[in-house]
């Protein structure tokens, strides 16, 4: 590869999000064998630019070429052409193992045969470090941030990329791993490939980069030779001098009373913090992210539980939850606006008034007049750009959303205002506005605490600044010492590394959260119940009774497989029950003893076709018309049932005796249908864990965005799941023919609930990504067993229902609890 | 921001107009037009359906469906789905008859039944909000348990409804069936509370974004549990009225109400994404679905065709609301 080859070429790239211009006419190129630093503040557009390069975002304007080939919005192709990206937030699928994530993360031609992924993955992880402490079999949910990041880097390096993009790679790494990373980066460039290194740590970039490009507020500030510029020059390019950002004057000195103070306050991620904030004052909390400053603030807001002394205006208070914080007059403006700040679908008016609805109450009810005029006032005062009050807040730009949330928080007239990242995702114009509002609020006597990862912002806004490192306050700056330089140097000096930490989890919960635990638990329950019932009443384990149970279990298991297939990708099908009825009704017109072989054959084909058609309709309703899966399949539930009833208003059409006998064949005491069900479960389970399509399905259910990045086609995969689900309902209907023997339109109805119950007991998650066909089989066996055991134990029939309900609740409660317990961070 | 936002300072008449537009042409207004249209269609193709006598027989059933739909609406506003409707409704009808006969006092039977319903709903709510079991699984399981209880109490047979209740269910005030008045009252009260009270605003916020509600200092657990409790209360009232109207407390009364109740909510326009919703729209949709069913029957079709038409109504209702987005997308 010749020197000077350009691997990545971006020309005139712009990217607009609703209301925000994230990138504007950026030109960026990466040469073979270089490390190209990409620097800028938070929100400057670095990650967006690389999102466009990798195809996960589509540029509004401009062209992207990788290795000379134009690419637009196609992650898989970008990866095939040699672009590999390590995200700040790893794009991993949480319910899949480390090995499976590595497998899906590689281009198809580099993937090993999926039979021994764990051994292969262990080898890959060893390439990173010989003593790596990551178990390839572990679910990604159980890894901490650092481990997840290492998996992501290993994945990217293994692609042998032409262009490796590292997005803030050192944020999550311990010192020795940072050195390891630099060594890997050099090895990548030695073989002629190139690296894009995104970071806001200038020193790091200077150490490793050959050239660097500076972004500011979505605009390119030029590309330079790294050696040409010194640190100060880079800084001034990044912040654009002090012209762009003006901050309001600080508080006048004077003796203001202390409003809020903590002493020896500890909580998750921070310990022994003693700080105070006075009326009219803004206290800034600075530090590299994840050093406890946000957690400290959230504990004051009552979202996390903190321990220690907190006093408000001299009185000790306790903050056990967010209502209590609010009652004390402590209001919180969350940093993650989309998750915690706005109610996206609700109007600007509702978003504004929710934190202070009481102000609008006139004789018990909210007066819309008062609410409207208050909202209007806020819109004017905060210069919110919105078509009108009833516009859903989600359609406003980031800055306007933030202003609405800020105005809403302030309308509750807090004594203490906690602000997390006041200007994140806010365009430049709105920033100055927000700074002014915060300062004016302080001047009116409110005590304000601000967390920001932007040192300039903290410096410009705060009267005092506390520097957090590893959960402790290491320094407090005040007066003239509050400058960006002091903050930055203090932050960088104090946090040179972070400890490796991992939350310990009880062995039982760890086991219970694994894939095999539900199987073992249900299997044990089956054996236990069988033994007890067998001792109580020996007829229970008689061949006749066992055969009967197996016959029913086979049908339930087969339809359960279908439901499981769909739930694996996050869907649900309520229509399987009526569909089984319809298939059976169709059969009752063709599979008759006086019908010829041709007619019978047509019957079988039609039965399968009917099933597939319903599956296709469900998929069209969900993926095409974007209906909620439950609404869509409820509609098909009713439609399919109606067709059954129209075809057979009452049960009729005796099925050919020969077919019945064939379907009832037994080997020893075991019905053939049961043997088939067991074999199918084993095959499906094998595919699910050992074949690309199975792993892809679980990945899609686990986290659709990550799956898309890994090149999984969501629509196609869901189509397969919907067709598969209905196909299995059809097959289950065939086994049901032998039990019903006549075209009964209502015969299948109970299988909707039954199939969901079976797989849920077998360990499936309704959110997708988790589940097992063996589990579905065991769940089905267990349900049939519980139903028949009541008879043999002489319990009245209602016990079937009591036991079924209780067992579903118990098993799901255990699974949900255990999966919650092992989640890291 | 290409073509959406009107400039900021263009308030006054324009803002008032657009606010009016937003209030009238939202996803909940479709059902009004649809229902009026349906009445017109009925007048043409099946005039028998909208004769006073026919309407009078139909209204109580529409009213009972509307009350169940109110309960279902608020659960869906909390991103849930309540599959325990049949169990709760049936059990309430039976309990009411049983307690009524045991104590010989309707006055005691009503609060006792409602109290039990609230307990059932609270258990659902706690399992969903506290134990973190998905709503559909929780309520499917509790429904199984409730149906077990129905069997235990009824022994699998019918029970005559107390005289007083039967009389109440059939009574009229100023010529309007009491059930209808009750349903309208229910809808008005629940709508007023969700739209115009502090608690209702918070309820909507919790449904729209529980994490943001927590950050805003709203006790979300309380609202989530109360939602299921109020929903159960609705089903219980519907169950009692149904028992009274039919004259017997049946062990299968609620089975035929689950799908229509969900269908009414969907047709009414309450989305499954949480937060927004309209019990009024659901109530009107209950009337729409009942009338639609009657029309289909009057045209000589079977109950099965009725089911098919209802399924189509759901699909059309959802698709119609999605059309403007499709249109915008292609513009």
């Amino acid at each position: 590869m010749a020197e000077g080859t350009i691997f990545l070429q971006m020309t005139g790239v712009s990217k607009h999000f609703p209301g925000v211009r994230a990138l504007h006419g950026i030109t960026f190129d990466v040469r073979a064998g270089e490390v190209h630093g990409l620097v800028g503040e938070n929100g400057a557009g670095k990650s967006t630019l690389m999102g466009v390069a990798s195809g996960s975002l589509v540029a509004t304007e401009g062209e992207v070429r990788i290795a000379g080939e134009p690419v637009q919005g196609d992650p898989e192709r970008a990866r095939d052409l040699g672009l590999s990206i390590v995200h700040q937030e790893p794009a991993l699928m949480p319910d899949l193992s480390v090995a499976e994530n590595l497998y899906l993360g590689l281009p198809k031609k580099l993937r090993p045969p999926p039979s021994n992924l764990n051994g292969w993955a262990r080898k890959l992880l060893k390439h990173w470090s010989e003593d790596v402490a990551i178990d390839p079999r572990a679910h990604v949910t159980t890894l901490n941030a650092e481990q997840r990041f290492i998996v992501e880097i290993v994945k990217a390096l293994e692609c042998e990329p032409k262009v490796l993009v590292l997005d803030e790679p050192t944020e999550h790494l311990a010192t020795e791993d940072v050195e390891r990373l630099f060594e890997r980066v050099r090895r990548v460039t030695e073989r002629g490939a190139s690296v894009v290194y995104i970071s806001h740590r200038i020193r790091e970039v200077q150490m490793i980069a050959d050239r660097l490009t500076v972004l500011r507020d979505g605009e390119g500030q030029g590309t330079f030779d790294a050696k040409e510029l010194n640190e100060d020059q880079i800084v001034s390019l990044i912040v654009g001098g002090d012209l762009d950002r003006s901050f309001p004057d600080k508080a006048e000195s004077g003796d203001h009373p202390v409003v809020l103070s903590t002493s020896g306050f500890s909580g998750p991620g921070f310990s022994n913090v003693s700080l105070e904030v006075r009326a009219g004052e803004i206290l800034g909390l600075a530090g590299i992210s994840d050093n406890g400053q946000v957690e400290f603030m959230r504990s004051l807001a009552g979202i996390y539980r903190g321990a220690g002394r907190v006093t408000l205006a001299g009185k000790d208070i306790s903050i056990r939850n967010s209502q209590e914080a609010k009652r004390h007059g402590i209001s919180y403006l969350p940093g993650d606006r989309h998750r915690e700040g706005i109610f996206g679908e609700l109007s600007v008016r509702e978003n504004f008034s929710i934190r202070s609805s009481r102000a609008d109450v006139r004789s018990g009810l909210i007066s819309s007049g008062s609410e409207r005029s208050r909202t209007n006032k806020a819109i004017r005062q905060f210069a919110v750009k919105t078509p009108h009050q009833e516009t859903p807040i989600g359609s406003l730009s980031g800055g306007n959303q933030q202003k609405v949330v800020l105005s809403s928080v302030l309308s509750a007239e807090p004594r203490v205002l906690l602000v997390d990242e006041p200007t994140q995702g806010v365009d430049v114009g709105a920033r100055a506005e927000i700074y002014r509002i915060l300062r004016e609020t302080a001047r009116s006597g409110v005590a304000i605490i601000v967390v920001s990862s932007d040192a300039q912002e903290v410096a410009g806004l705060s009267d005092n600044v506390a520097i957090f490192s590893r959960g402790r306050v290491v320094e407090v700056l005040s007066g003239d010492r509050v400058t960006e330089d002091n903050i930055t140097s203090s932050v960088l000096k104090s946090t040179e590394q972070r400890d490796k930490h991992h939350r310990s989890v009880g062995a039982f919960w760890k086991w219970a959260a694994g894939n095999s635990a539900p199987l073992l638990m249900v299997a044990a329950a089956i054996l236990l119940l069988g033994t007890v019932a067998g001792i109580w009443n020996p007829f229970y384990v008689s061949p006749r009774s066992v055969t009967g149970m197996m016959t029913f279990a086979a049908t339930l298991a087969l339809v359960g497989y279908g439901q499981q297939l769909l739930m694996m990708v996050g869907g649900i099908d309520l229509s399987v029950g009526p569909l089984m009825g319809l298939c059976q009704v169709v059969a009752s017109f063709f599979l008759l003893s006086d019908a010829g072989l041709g007619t019978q054959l047509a019957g079988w084909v039609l039965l399968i076709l009917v099933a597939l058609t319903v599956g296709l309709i469900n998929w069209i309703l969900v993926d095409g018309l974007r209906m909620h899966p439950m609404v869509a399949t409820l509609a098909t539930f009713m439609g399919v049932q109606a067709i059954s009833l129209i075809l057979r208003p009452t049960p009729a059409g005796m099925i050919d005796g020969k077919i019945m006998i064939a379907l009832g064949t037994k080997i020893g005491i075991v019905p053939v249908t049961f043997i088939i069900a067991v074999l199918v479960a084993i095959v499906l389970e094998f595919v699910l864990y050992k074949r690309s399509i199975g792993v892809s399905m679980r990945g899609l259910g686990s986290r659709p965005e990550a799956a898309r990045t890994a090149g999984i086609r969501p629509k196609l995969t869901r189509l397969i799941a919907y067709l598969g689900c209905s196909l299995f309902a059809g097959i289950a209907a065939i086994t049901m023919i032998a039990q019903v023997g006549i075209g009964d339109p209502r015969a299948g109805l109970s299988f909707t609930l039954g199939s969901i119950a079976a797989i849920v007991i077998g360990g499936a998650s309704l959110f997708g990504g988790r589940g097992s066909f063996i589990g579905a089989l065991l769940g089905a066996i267990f349900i049939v067993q519980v139903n028949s055991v009541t008879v043999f134990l002489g319990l009245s029939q209602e016990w079937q229902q009591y036991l079924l309900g209780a067992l579903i609740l118990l098993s799901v409660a255990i699974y949900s609890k255990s999966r919650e317990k092992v989640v890291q961070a | 921001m290409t073509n959406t936002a009107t400039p900021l300072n263009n308030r006054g008449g324009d803002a008032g107009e657009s606010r009016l537009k937003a209030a009238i042409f939202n996803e909940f207004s479709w059902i009004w037009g649809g229902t009026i249209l349906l009445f017109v269609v009925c007048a043409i193709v099946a005039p028998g359906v909208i004769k006073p006598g026919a309407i009078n027989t139909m209204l109580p059933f529409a009213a009972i469906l509307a009350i169940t739909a109110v309960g279902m609406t608020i659960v869906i506003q909390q991103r849930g789905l309540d599959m325990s409707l049949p169990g709760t409704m049936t059990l309430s009808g039976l309990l009411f008859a049983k307690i009524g006969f045991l104590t010989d006092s309707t006055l005691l039977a009503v609060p006792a039944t409602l109290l039990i319903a609230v307990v059932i709903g609270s258990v659902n709510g706690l399992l969903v909000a506290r134990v973190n079991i998905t709503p559909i699984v929780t309520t499917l399981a509790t429904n199984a348990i409730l149906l077990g209880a129905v069997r235990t109490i009824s022994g699998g047979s019918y029970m005559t409804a107390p005289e007083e209740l039967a009389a109440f269910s059939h009574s009229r005030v100023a010529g309007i069936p009491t059930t209808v008045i009750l349903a309208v009252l229910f809808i008005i009260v629940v709508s007023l509370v969700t739209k115009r009270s502090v608690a209702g605003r918070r309820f909507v916020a919790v449904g729209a974004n529980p994490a943001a509600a927590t950050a805003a200092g709203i006790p979300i657990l309380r609202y989530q549990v109360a939602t299921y409790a109020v929903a159960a209360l609705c089903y219980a009232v519907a169950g009692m009225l149904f028992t009274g109207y039919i004259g017997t407390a049946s062990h299968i009364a609620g089975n035929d109400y689950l799908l229509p109740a969900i269908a009414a909510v969907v047709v009414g326009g309450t989305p499954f994404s949480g937060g927004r919703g309209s019990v009024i729209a659901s109530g009107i949709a209950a009337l729409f679905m009942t009338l639609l069913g009657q029309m289909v029957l009057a045209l000589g079709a079977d109950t099965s065709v009725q089911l098919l038409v209802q399924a189509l109504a759901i699909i059309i209702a959802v698709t119609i609301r999605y059309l403007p987005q499709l249109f915008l997308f292609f513009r």
Side-chain angles (χ1 to χ4, degrees):
Chain A
M1 221 147 287
E3 184 72 23
T5 313
I6 291 181
F7 279 153
L8 172 66
Q9 172 77 54
M10 305 179 77
T11 330
V13 170
S14 296
K15 174 71 192 171
H16 298 181
F17 292 112
V20 185
R21 196 187 61 185
L23 292 176
H24 183 65
I26 307 283
T27 296
F28 181 72
D29 63 84
V30 182
R31 294 177 196 150
E34 76 166 344
V35 177
H36 195 140
L38 186 56
V39 294
E41 287 183 292
N42 288 320
K46 299 168 298 203
S47 300
T48 311
L49 185 66
M50 287 304 110
V52 171
S54 71
S56 63
L57 296 172
V58 182
T60 318
E61 282 164 27
E63 193 194 40
V64 181
R65 281 172 183 272
I66 300 173
E69 301 279 324
V71 191
Q72 191 74 276
D74 184 349
E76 198 170 2
R77 201 168 125 75
R79 197 171 61 176
D80 287 345
L81 287 171
L83 185 119
S84 192
I85 187 161
V86 176
H87 296 275
Q88 202 171 351
E89 277 308 312
L92 300 174
M93 289 154 262
D95 296 308
L96 266 53
S97 71
V98 170
E100 288 163 340
N101 268 289
L102 288 172
Y103 173 77
L104 285 181
L106 294 192
K108 290 212 171 75
K109 58 178 191 292
L110 289 178
R111 290 180 188 171
S115 45
N116 181 21
L117 286 185
N118 291 332
W120 167 80
R122 195 167 293 123
K123 239 188 302 169
L124 256 53
L125 290 167
K126 286 245 166 81
H127 291 175
W128 172 257
S129 137
E130 272 304 317
D131 57 339
V132 68
I134 302 172
D135 182 353
R137 291 165 302 176
H139 278 150
V140 166
T141 30
T142 66
L143 304 185
N144 62 24
E146 180 201 354
Q147 292 172 321
R148 284 203 295 267
F149 202 76
I150 291 176
V151 172
E152 183 81 356
I153 292 182
V154 167
K155 193 172 90 181
L157 286 173
E158 219 49 48
C159 295
E160 304 237 311
K162 291 202 182 84
V163 184
L164 172 66
V165 181
L166 299 171
D167 191 352
E168 302 284 1
T170 53
E171 286 304 289
H172 298 293
L173 294 179
T175 321
E176 70 264 31
D177 282 320
V178 172
E179 280 155 22
R180 211 166 271 147
L181 177 75
F182 279 16
E183 192 198 311
R184 291 295 179 284
V185 166
R186 285 187 198 105
R187 224 188 281 166
V188 169
T189 51
E190 268 164 28
R191 64 174 168 80
S194 43
V195 173
V196 178
Y197 194 98
I198 303 177
S199 181
H200 62 248
R201 300 196 189 201
I202 299 161
R203 269 174 225 173
E204 250 175 36
V205 177
Q206 275 190 310
M207 254 163 74
I208 191 97
D210 301 310
R211 290 196 300 161
L212 56 86
T213 295
V214 181
L215 290 186
R216 188 201 321 150
D217 293 323
E219 313 255 2
Q221 305 297 316
T223 300
F224 308 90
D225 227 335
K227 288 175 207 76
E228 257 174 33
L229 300 175
N230 63 30
E231 204 176 333
D232 291 339
Q233 286 169 309
I234 299 175
V235 169
S236 71
L237 280 169
I238 289 175
V239 301
D242 288 325
L243 296 173
D244 278 357
R245 297 167 80 181
S246 59
F247 290 93
D249 294 340
K250 304 217 166 165
E252 282 156 35
S253 58
D255 200 19
H256 302 290
V258 172
V259 179
L260 185 79
S261 74
T262 65
S263 67
F265 195 54
S266 304
F270 66 95
S271 55
N272 203 15
V273 174
S274 302
L275 286 172
E276 57 175 42
V277 54
R278 292 166 185 275
E281 183 186 271
I282 298 180
L283 169 66
L285 308 182
I288 292 187
S289 56
D290 275 345
N291 272 275
Q293 62 273 45
V294 174
E295 288 76 7
F296 168 72
M297 176 175 275
R298 288 173 74 85
S299 299
L300 287 180
I303 292 168
Y304 295 153
R305 272 301 267 285
R309 197 160 162 221
V310 182
T311 61
L312 184 71
K315 275 194 223 116
D316 280 3
I317 57 166
S318 77
I319 305 170
R320 277 169 307 188
N321 50 42
S322 60
Q323 300 100 269
E324 227 163 355
K326 181 129 194 262
R327 214 172 304 136
H328 290 306
I330 303 174
S331 282
Y332 172 56
L333 184 75
D336 188 342
R337 188 168 54 240
H338 284 277
R339 225 179 70 75
E340 293 188 331
I342 61 167
F343 302 90
E345 310 236 310
L346 302 185
S347 66
V348 169
R349 171 179 55 80
E350 288 164 293
N351 270 282
F352 166 74
S353 68
I354 184 65
R355 291 173 185 84
S356 55
S357 328
R358 279 187 213 289
D360 298 319
V361 173
R362 306 279 179 276
S363 57
L365 287 182
I366 289 178
S367 142
S368 31
S370 150
E371 189 186 16
R372 267 205 304 273
S373 73
R374 273 204 318 136
T375 312
N376 249 336
K377 209 175 122 201
I379 288 176
R380 216 168 306 131
Q381 190 188 342
F382 289 75
V384 179
K385 290 181 197 164
T386 172
H388 54 91
Q389 297 191 358
E390 301 302 321
T391 308
I393 194 171
S395 66
L396 302 188
S397 74
N400 284 307
Q401 289 179 1
Q402 185 75 340
K403 284 197 262 181
V404 173
V405 180
L406 180 58
S407 68
S408 170
V409 169
L410 290 177
S411 69
E413 297 180 350
R415 298 163 77 181
V416 178
L417 177 62
L418 308 173
V419 188
D420 184 1
E421 297 293 351
T423 58
Q424 197 160 66
V426 168
D427 31 295
V428 195
R431 279 185 201 162
E433 204 72 45
I434 288 171
Y435 297 145
R436 180 184 58 80
I437 295 162
L438 287 176
R439 181 47 75 186
E440 273 170 19
T441 307
R443 211 162 281 144
S444 72
V446 177
I448 301 182
I449 305 181
V450 171
V451 166
S452 174
S453 50
D454 176 346
Q456 196 196 1
E457 181 170 282
V458 177
L461 206 52
S462 316
D463 301 305
N464 299 304
V465 174
I467 312 289
F468 273 71
S469 176
R470 289 192 228 156
R472 286 166 197 277
V473 174
V474 288
E475 198 176 353
V476 178
L477 307 172
S478 50
D480 292 342
R481 297 197 54 232
V482 179
T483 64
E484 187 180 356
D485 284 350
N486 282 347
I487 293 171
T488 311
S489 76
S490 176
V491 163
L492 290 181
K493 258 187 285 169
S494 60
T495 318
E496 284 305 323
Q497 63 177 42
R498 63 182 40 244
D499 297 337
K500 293 196 175 193
H501 60 91
H502 201 83
R503 209 155 56 87
S504 66
V505 175
F508 170 76
W509 292 117
K510 216 169 193 168
W511 173 78
N515 282 337
S516 57
L519 311 188
L520 292 175
M521 283 194 248
V522 179
I526 291 172
L527 288 179
L528 189 73
L529 188 62
T531 314
V532 171
I535 292 170
W536 190 277
N537 185 341
F539 285 114
Y540 181 74
V541 284
S542 68
R544 207 185 125 97
S545 143
V546 170
T547 306
M549 282 193 279
M550 283 177 169
T551 310
F552 287 121
T555 305
L556 184 55
L558 284 168
V559 59
Y561 302 157
Q563 192 72 263
Q564 175 66 82
L565 199 60
L566 192 49
M567 212 174 271
M568 198 63 78
V569 297
I572 189 168
D573 187 354
L574 301 178
S575 70
V576 287
L579 175 59
M580 284 175 70
L582 179 62
C583 288
Q584 220 235 347
V585 164
V586 168
S588 75
F589 285 98
F590 293 90
L591 308 182
L592 308 169
S593 44
D594 50 1
L597 202 63
T599 317
Q600 289 206 355
L601 193 67
W604 291 111
V605 172
L606 203 59
L607 188 152
I608 297 300
L609 277 182
V610 163
L612 289 176
T613 308
V614 172
L616 185 66
I617 292 174
N618 279 334
W619 176 74
I620 291 173
L621 292 179
V622 172
D623 246 335
L625 292 177
R626 306 237 196 117
M627 285 173 79
H628 190 284
M630 279 200 265
V631 178
T633 56
L634 194 75
T636 41
F637 180 109
M638 294 163 78
V640 168
Q641 185 58 26
I643 293 169
S644 293
L645 286 168
I646 292 168
L647 292 174
R648 288 262 184 235
T650 49
M654 288 297 282
I655 305 283
D656 188 353
K658 281 188 282 247
I659 294 175
M660 303 268 290
I661 291 169
L663 286 171
T665 315
K666 281 178 288 189
I667 296 177
I669 62 162
V670 186
V672 170
T673 52
F674 186 76
I675 296 175
I676 291 173
V678 172
L679 290 178
V680 168
I682 293 170
V683 170
L684 286 175
E685 193 83 345
F686 177 78
V687 171
L688 188 62
Y689 283 93
K690 299 289 181 197
R691 281 288 164 264
S692 168
I693 173 81
V695 180
S696 300
M697 267 193 170
R698 284 164 48 225
L700 179 64
S702 185
R703 182 175 291 167
E705 318 84 70
R708 209 169 298 132
T709 317
I712 295 167
R713 294 221 202 91
K715 290 202 170 180
L716 182 70
T717 313
R718 274 197 292 270
L719 175 63
I720 295 172
Y722 274 99
L723 290 179
C725 177
S726 297
L727 182 64
F728 273 109
I731 295 171
I734 295 174
T735 67
M736 195 173 67
I737 290 174
Q739 296 150 42
V740 184
I742 191 168
D744 179 355
R746 291 189 177 80
L749 283 180
S750 65
F751 283 99
T752 291
L753 168 59
S755 63
I756 296 174
I759 64 169
V760 160
I761 289 177
S765 156
L766 246 79
F767 303 109
R770 294 285 291 255
S772 151
F773 293 99
I774 308 267
L777 174 67
L778 292 171
I781 295 174
F782 191 45
I783 289 172
V784 171
Q785 198 187 13
V786 167
N787 282 346
S788 62
V789 92
T790 49
V791 180
F792 285 92
L793 294 184
L795 293 170
S796 50
Q797 244 189 330
E798 55 262 34
W799 278 95
Q800 284 186 8
Q801 263 144 342
Y802 290 142
L803 286 174
L804 180 62
L807 286 171
I808 295 176
L809 290 177
L810 184 72
S811 52
V812 181
I814 292 177
Y815 302 150
S816 128
K817 181 87 188 155
S818 60
R819 283 167 198 174
E820 227 169 85
K821 281 248 175 190
V822 295
V823 172
Q824 293 281 337
Chain B
M1 260 209 276
T2 44
N3 53 4
T4 48
T6 348
L8 67 154
N9 280 325
N10 193 359
R11 248 176 240 104
D14 199 29
E17 198 178 296
S18 41
R19 194 164 58 231
L20 198 70
K21 262 190 195 158
I24 294 176
F25 298 105
N26 59 30
E27 65 265 63
F28 305 123
S29 52
W30 285 94
I31 189 61
W32 291 91
T35 310
I36 293 168
L37 190 70
L38 186 63
F39 268 97
V40 174
V41 171
C42 279
I44 298 165
V45 302
V49 174
I50 53 167
K51 285 209 177 97
I55 294 262
N56 264 337
T57 355
M58 180 193 78
L59 274 183
F61 289 102
I64 292 169
L65 179 59
I67 295 174
T68 59
V70 167
M72 192 58 82
T73 307
I74 60 171
V75 172
I76 289 176
Q77 279 185 279
Q78 291 298 329
R79 304 167 172 226
L81 191 66
D82 198 342
M83 307 296 272
S84 73
L85 184 155
T88 314
M89 187 170 163
T90 312
L91 188 66
S92 304
L94 279 168
L95 275 174
F96 177 76
K98 192 107 183 172
I99 299 171
F101 280 121
L102 282 179
T103 62
D104 213 16
S105 153
T106 314
L107 228 55
L108 198 75
V110 173
T113 309
L114 293 181
L115 186 71
I116 292 169
V118 167
V119 171
I120 293 170
S122 306
V123 170
N124 274 339
L126 283 170
L127 286 169
V128 169
R130 202 68 206 236
V131 193
N132 273 335
I133 306 180
T134 345
I136 184 169
V137 173
T138 301
T139 51
L140 275 174
T142 49
N143 190 51
I145 294 172
L146 290 170
L147 291 179
V150 165
R151 213 176 243 283
T152 307
I153 291 170
S154 70
S157 58
Y158 293 81
M159 206 184 284
T160 326
E163 278 298 319
E164 286 169 66
L165 178 67
F168 178 79
S169 292
H170 285 281
S171 67
R172 283 160 186 281
V173 176
I176 304 165
T178 318
T179 45
V180 176
I181 296 175
L182 215 57
V184 171
L185 260 171
F186 237 89
I187 291 169
I188 291 176
V189 169
V190 175
S191 178
L192 210 60
V193 168
T194 50
K195 293 227 149 58
R196 296 284 300 280
S197 77
V198 174
R201 286 303 177 78
R202 293 183 172 174
F203 157 83
V204 171
V206 173
N209 186 348
T214 304
I218 299 171
I220 62 167
L221 182 71
R222 224 177 286 168
Y223 284 90
Q224 286 166 336
V225 174
T227 300
Y228 284 89
V230 174
L233 206 70
C234 293
Y235 311 147
V237 171
M240 290 192 281
L241 289 175
F242 185 78
T243 300
Y245 202 76
I246 298 297
T248 49
S250 100
H251 57 286
I252 49 166
N255 293 5
D256 293 333
Y257 275 88
L258 177 64
L259 296 184
I262 299 176
V265 177
V266 172
V267 171
T270 296
F272 271 57
S273 51
R276 284 167 327 122
S278 164
V279 290
I280 297 180
S282 298
I284 298 295
L287 176 65
F288 176 89
M289 296 302 271
T290 315
L291 185 64
L292 185 67
Q294 292 302 311
M295 186 186 87
V296 173
L297 289 185
L299 289 174
D302 226 345
T303 38
S304 46
V305 178
Q306 196 181 344
L307 203 59
L308 191 63
V309 170
Q310 285 176 348
L312 287 177
I314 295 182
I315 296 175
I316 292 170
V318 175
T319 315
I320 275 187
R321 294 185 176 92
Y322 178 57
L323 278 182
Q325 280 177 46
L326 272 182
F327 179 72
L328 279 180
F329 184 75
F330 285 116
R331 201 170 56 166

